[in-house]
Amino acid sequence: MTSAIVYDCEIIKCIPPRDGTKNNDLAYCNGWDDHANMGISVIGAYDYLTGQLKAYVEEEMCAQIPGVDSFASFQQLVDNRERVIGFNSLSFDDKLCKAHDIWVKTDYDLLCEIRMATGQSASYTKGKTRAGYSLDAMASANLDTKKTGHGALAPVLWQQGQYYEVIRYGLNDVMLTKKLFDKRASLIDPTNQATVTLREPLGI
């Protein structure tokens, strides 16, 4: 394995509910495209070169949360590795990071690769891209496990000061993505139980 990382981000502000009902005790962004206003609570990353799994937070939060590192350290990690792997990171995590002056470019997005391997377009296309390929669904079908929570709960927990819960959740997502990437030669399609082989990444 060449030098590569797997990464995932969690946000600070909640996504507004579809029914418009908001909790007055919580802060909200303006929706999934409001990357600049979401904030980043935690970036989790697995480093193939060292085998380390780490959480990264804003510099001022490091003193409050022992055992984590800063976003500046995450940027250094990205700059010193050849490849970046994620799950839906081209559409979300990369853009979220860019909006907060963290420069990451995913080389291998598992969700895009899964879509292409199942005869779909790599990017989401309304009315054409099929549902059923979430990280939770893929992990359940291939790893006999599930996510430890729901992404919508992460900003709630963060705003309530439950930082380690969010860190555990984010790092678990990183490891699920990593394990799916490692099994890319033979994955189960959760929608029909067929075997799917993902494209081999160049240089990884």
Side-chain angles (χ1 to χ4, degrees), residues 72-93:
S73 295
F74 173 72
Q75 184 68 74
Q76 287 183 333
L77 175 66
V78 172
D79 293 344
N80 285 283
R81 296 297 180 267
E82 296 176 18
R83 298 288 184 271
V84 176
I85 302 158
F87 193 100
N88 197 36
S89 48
L90 283 171
S91 293
F92 182 70
D93 303 78

Side-chain angles (χ1 to χ4, degrees), residues 84-161:
V84 176
I85 302 158
F87 193 100
N88 197 36
S89 48
L90 283 171
S91 293
F92 182 70
D93 303 78
D94 288 5
K95 293 178 180 178
L96 178 65
C97 284
K98 183 179 179 181
H100 293 85
D101 297 322
I102 301 170
W103 305 97
V104 191
K105 177 65 170 67
T106 295
D107 298 284
Y108 195 91
D109 186 321
L110 259 80
L111 181 56
C112 294
E113 298 296 331
I114 291 164
R115 285 173 175 158
M116 290 190 291
T118 54
Q120 306 175 69
S121 62
S123 57
Y124 172 76
T125 305
K126 188 174 182 179
K128 293 184 178 180
T129 310
R130 302 193 301 274
Y133 298 97
S134 66
L135 181 58
D136 194 41
M138 290 299 300
S140 181
N142 290 278
L143 306 174
D144 294 322
T145 188
K146 290 190 173 185
K147 286 162 62 81
T148 55
H150 193 281
L153 185 59
V156 176
L157 293 172
W158 189 264
Q159 290 183 46
Q160 292 174 343

Side-chain angles (χ1 to χ4, degrees), residues 22 46-47 51 125 134-135 161 167 183 185:
K22 294 183 180 180
Y46 175 83
D47 183 1
T125 305
S134 66
L135 181 58
I167 289 170
K183 288 173 64 75

Side-chain angles (χ1 to χ4, degrees), residues 3-193:
S3 61
I5 65 165
V6 180
Y7 95 109
D8 177 79
C9 298
E10 302 302 330
I11 62 176
I12 295 174
K13 293 185 179 179
C14 301
I15 303 297
R18 290 183 180 179
D19 63 6
T21 305
K22 294 183 180 180
N23 183 332
N24 292 331
D25 294 326
L26 297 172
Y28 294 83
C29 62
N30 294 319
W32 284 110
D33 293 326
D34 187 17
H35 300 109
N37 196 35
M38 287 177 180
I40 304 175
S41 58
V42 178
I43 301 174
Y46 175 83
D47 183 1
Y48 272 102
L49 198 61
T50 64
Q52 288 187 323
L53 178 66
K54 271 191 170 185
Y56 302 85
V57 300
E58 287 277 10
E59 183 75 43
E60 59 266 25
M61 295 296 295
C62 289
Q64 297 184 49
I65 313 173
V68 300
D69 222 325
S70 68
F71 288 160
S73 295
F74 173 72
Q75 184 68 74
Q76 287 183 333
L77 175 66
V78 172
D79 293 344
N80 285 283
R81 296 297 180 267
E82 296 176 18
R83 298 288 184 271
V84 176
I85 302 158
F87 193 100
N88 197 36
S89 48
L90 283 171
S91 293
F92 182 70
D93 303 78
D94 288 5
K95 293 178 180 178
L96 178 65
C97 284
K98 183 179 179 181
H100 293 85
D101 297 322
I102 301 170
W103 305 97
V104 191
K105 177 65 170 67
T106 295
D107 298 284
Y108 195 91
D109 186 321
L110 259 80
L111 181 56
C112 294
E113 298 296 331
I114 291 164
R115 285 173 175 158
M116 290 190 291
T118 54
Q120 306 175 69
S121 62
S123 57
Y124 172 76
T125 305
K126 188 174 182 179
K128 293 184 178 180
T129 310
R130 302 193 301 274
Y133 298 97
S134 66
L135 181 58
D136 194 41
M138 290 299 300
S140 181
N142 290 278
L143 306 174
D144 294 322
T145 188
K146 290 190 173 185
K147 286 162 62 81
T148 55
H150 193 281
L153 185 59
V156 176
L157 293 172
W158 189 264
Q159 290 183 46
Q160 292 174 343
Q162 298 185 56
Y163 305 133
Y164 284 110
E165 288 299 313
V166 180
I167 289 170
R168 278 192 287 270
Y169 170 76
L171 293 181
N172 184 68
D173 276 8
V174 170
M175 290 309 296
L176 292 179
T177 302
K178 186 260 184 192
K179 290 174 182 177
L180 289 171
F181 176 76
D182 290 344
K183 288 173 64 75
R184 62 191 179 277
S186 182
L187 292 171
I188 301 299
D189 183 331
T191 69
N192 59 17
Q193 305 307 303

